[in-house]
Amino acid sequence: MKSVGIVGGGVSGLFSAYYLLQEGCEVTIIERGNFADGCSFGNAGMIVPSHIIPLAQPGMIAKGMRWMLDAQSPFYVKPRISSALVKWGYLFWKKSTEKHVHYAIPHLRDLSLLSKELYQELASQDDFAFGWEEKGLLMLFKNPGTRHEMEEEAAVANRSGIEARLLSGKETQALEPHVQLTVEGSVFYPGDAHIYPNQLIAGLVSYLKKSGVRFLEDNVVEDFEIQNEKVKSVKTDSGSYSFDEFVIAAGAWSPILTQKLGISLSLQGGKGYSFLAEGLETKMQIPAIMLEARTTATPMGGGVRFAGTLEIAGTDETINMNRVRGIHHSIRQYYPDLEVDFPEEEKVWSGLRPCSPDGLPYIGRVKNFNNLTLATGHGMMGLSLGPATGKLVADTIAGNKASVGVEAFAPGRFN
């Protein structure tokens, strides 16, 4: 029986543990915090096979430069002297091409569809209840000029086997008859789904503990011991632990850990914010992305979770209420009848999404190490791609044929 140590208890780490158990492995999860925190808890909860176009795409840099001038905009890069940030920005610019988009689409599609299939399997089991609902996703837009852009995006999705319907404002309203919308139109992706992230994470942790997975919470990794091209042990502030195999699934903190192993990993933390509006007199049915504002709305637990912004801020976890104000301001622009109070700071959740420069995750073996696997870099798709990532990690460690092609996700692709 192989022993596996997973550094990081987010959604990728938990699903890696879940599928490694199925391969007969003995699993330990080492987490710097505890399982009341983490990037997945305040997630918008969307499972989105529709998201097959990577963040690195033509026009994104110009758009980002315009947004950076607005304190409430959906995108921001925190100014700082950082060679890692400069390298990340250069690679992002280099990958923002049509060629890269065409390359990335089938890989993201296959990974997303595998994840959805695994979520469906999980939802059918009695052990798990996490609010799985397949009601699709609405990409709402207000500007007439956006229609052409979304028409092209819908065409790309349909050509790739992902159903997409371009709707008028009236057709969009017909899908949401119980909540008023002020939009020019939308793209409807009927194959998307949503969940309640809090229930998923709590359910996974409970199941894994009952199944014998060891959890080492509040353990900060200080170093690794290396021997003969293998990681021999991980040293934490509470002790040293040895395993046959190691997985780094530490989200935005992954580059700090890989650096201790002499591995340069280009990845930046993209801070996002969310808050749950409870007690709303609304019967919103379908999760939505408000395109121009880059804000999301997800019916969840009797309320609506609003989320948004991408603030490239390294590992800075402080809350910038200007960003939250931008999210709040956008709601009435699309849903004019929703009376949503501006949240108090203590009720705002923030989390760091681990963003690779090309919009593709890092999943797989690390060069020069025979027993080290990475599972990070999913950006805003961490929850959506969690099960497929865990399955690929288990495939790798068990020596199975990969469930989908993994060459595009190679951790050493920029080295």
Side-chain angles (χ1 to χ4, degrees), residues 133-181:
E133 291 194 78
E134 296 184 47
K135 292 189 175 180
L137 172 71
L138 283 169
M139 302 282 280
L140 306 173
F141 57 88
K142 292 183 67 67
N143 301 332
T146 308
R147 175 172 288 276
H148 177 66
E149 180 184 337
M150 296 314 298
E151 191 172 21
E152 288 187 350
E153 194 167 304
V156 168
N158 283 312
R159 284 197 301 269
S160 302
I162 304 294
E163 185 183 356
R165 304 175 197 164
L166 184 67
L167 305 178
S168 66
K170 188 175 180 180
E171 289 169 328
T172 304
Q173 184 67 79
L175 287 178
E176 279 284 24
H178 304 298
V179 56
Q180 187 179 346
L181 289 165

Side-chain angles (χ1 to χ4, degrees), residues 142-289:
K142 292 183 67 67
N143 301 332
T146 308
R147 175 172 288 276
H148 177 66
E149 180 184 337
M150 296 314 298
E151 191 172 21
E152 288 187 350
E153 194 167 304
V156 168
N158 283 312
R159 284 197 301 269
S160 302
I162 304 294
E163 185 183 356
R165 304 175 197 164
L166 184 67
L167 305 178
S168 66
K170 188 175 180 180
E171 289 169 328
T172 304
Q173 184 67 79
L175 287 178
E176 279 284 24
H178 304 298
V179 56
Q180 187 179 346
L181 289 165
T182 305
V183 295
E184 172 72 18
S186 69
V187 175
F188 178 52
Y189 292 98
D192 284 5
H194 67 286
I195 66 171
Y196 200 159
N198 306 56
Q199 291 179 357
L200 174 73
I201 301 302
L204 274 173
V205 170
S206 175
Y207 174 84
L208 294 173
K209 284 182 176 179
K210 288 175 185 175
S211 302
V213 172
R214 178 169 58 155
F215 283 77
L216 301 175
E217 298 182 56
D218 299 312
N219 270 247
V220 177
V221 172
E222 296 177 339
D223 209 349
F224 295 90
E225 184 182 355
I226 304 167
Q227 192 176 81
N228 300 325
E229 295 189 336
K230 284 191 173 184
V231 181
K232 186 179 179 184
S233 65
V234 56
K235 299 177 181 179
T236 77
D237 56 358
S238 71
S240 183
Y241 303 93
S242 298
F243 306 100
D244 299 322
E245 295 272 355
F246 291 79
V247 178
I248 293 180
W253 286 267
S254 296
I256 297 170
L257 299 177
T258 58
Q259 190 174 29
K260 298 177 188 295
L261 293 161
I263 301 164
S264 175
L265 186 70
S266 190
L267 186 148
Q268 289 288 317
K271 193 189 304 180
Y273 301 93
S274 76
F275 60 91
L276 184 65
E278 299 178 283
L280 291 180
E281 291 187 10
T282 178
K283 294 181 180 178
M284 184 189 298
Q285 296 294 309
I286 305 172
I289 295 178

Side-chain angles (χ1 to χ4, degrees), residues 66-119:
R66 291 196 302 273
W67 279 336
M68 282 181 65
L69 301 175
D70 182 356
Q72 296 183 21
S73 71
F75 179 77
Y76 178 69
V77 178
K78 183 180 179 181
R80 59 195 188 279
I81 299 172
S82 166
S83 59
L85 177 59
V86 170
K87 180 184 177 183
W88 186 92
Y90 169 74
L91 291 170
F92 185 92
W93 169 77
K94 197 174 178 182
K95 288 294 182 179
S96 296
T97 64
E98 288 287 352
K99 181 181 178 181
H100 173 65
V101 169
H102 288 305
Y103 171 75
I105 282 173
H107 296 286
L108 283 174
R109 176 200 62 204
D110 293 349
L111 193 64
S112 283
L113 290 175
L114 173 61
S115 233
K116 180 185 173 183
E117 182 183 320
L118 294 172
Y119 265 124

Side-chain angles (χ1 to χ4, degrees), residues 301-323:
V304 179
R305 176 166 286 166
F306 296 100
T309 82
L310 182 65
E311 185 178 332
I312 303 299
T315 53
D316 175 13
E317 297 181 273
T318 58
I319 291 176
N320 181 343
M321 291 302 286
N322 271 333
R323 300 286 148 194

